[in-house]
Amino acid sequence: MKTEEIKIANLKCGGCATTIKKELFELDGVKEVKVDNDNDSVTVMYKEGIREAITQRLHDLGYPEATEKNGLLLKLKSYSSCMIGKINNL
């Protein structure tokens, strides 16, 4: 198992955190997910060999790694993911 902190863009609130946790736990091999809104990061414990799947899932949700280009489309995706997370928190 490996634990890694991944810096991401577009992280705004608890709704974002809820969506990120739910989606990453759906990946086979992810054992733990912690979202830190203050540091714009996600700490993930996972099996070796699935890092790319984790970062791709984050990207697809609108939360690219901080080193990636962050265009308007990704920002819009993150707002959708955030809203879904807020609804799931109700």
Side-chain angles (χ1 to χ4, degrees), residues 13-68:
C13 66
C16 298
T18 298
T19 296
I20 289 169
K21 287 178 188 177
K22 177 188 171 295
E23 292 290 325
L24 291 185
F25 275 125
E26 289 180 0
L27 295 173
D28 187 38
V30 172
K31 299 297 179 198
E32 188 174 326
V33 178
K34 294 180 183 175
V35 180
D36 186 341
N37 290 344
D38 294 332
N39 291 315
D40 297 324
S41 67
V42 178
T43 301
V44 185
M45 181 187 294
Y46 60 92
K47 286 190 321 190
E48 294 288 333
I50 67 163
R51 186 185 193 283
E52 187 175 328
I54 291 168
T55 56
Q56 184 62 51
R57 179 69 56 96
L58 288 168
H59 178 92
D60 291 346
L61 292 168
Y63 305 104
E65 279 194 86
T67 57
E68 277 188 67

